[in-house]
């Protein structure tokens, strides 16, 4: 997906980071138990996404 976005050369005029659209991705996993909440998965994936952005954008981060 990142390569497809990169080669599409979509202008990102409002960005202070890049002239072109990039894609950062956050990935995590959750072992389902009666004790956890599906929202926990979204929270952890969001953390992974922002870690990817903090580390230079246009990358992916896997939160274990």
């Amino acid at each position: 997906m990142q390569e497809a976005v990169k080669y599409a050369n979509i202008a990102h005029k409002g960005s202070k980071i890049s002239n072109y659209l990039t894609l950062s991705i956050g990935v995590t996993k959750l072992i389902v138990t009666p004790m956890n909440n599906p929202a926990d998965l979204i929270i952890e994936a969001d953390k992974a996404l922002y870690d990817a952005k903090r580390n230079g954008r246009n990358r992916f981060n896997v939160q274990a």
Side-chain angles (χ1 to χ4, degrees), residues 5-58:
V5 169
K6 178 182 176 181
Y7 291 115
N9 289 324
I10 300 168
H12 196 211
K13 295 177 185 174
S15 176
K16 296 178 183 177
I17 306 297
S18 174
N19 293 329
Y20 296 96
L21 188 68
T22 62
L23 182 63
S24 296
I25 301 169
V27 178
T28 193
K29 63 179 166 79
L30 177 69
I31 297 172
V32 178
T33 70
M35 300 298 293
N36 58 27
N37 181 333
D40 295 337
L41 182 64
I42 295 168
I43 291 166
E44 292 304 313
D46 195 50
K47 287 179 188 176
L49 169 62
Y50 281 93
D51 284 346
K53 288 182 175 191
R54 258 191 307 280
N55 291 319
R57 299 190 179 240
N58 197 34

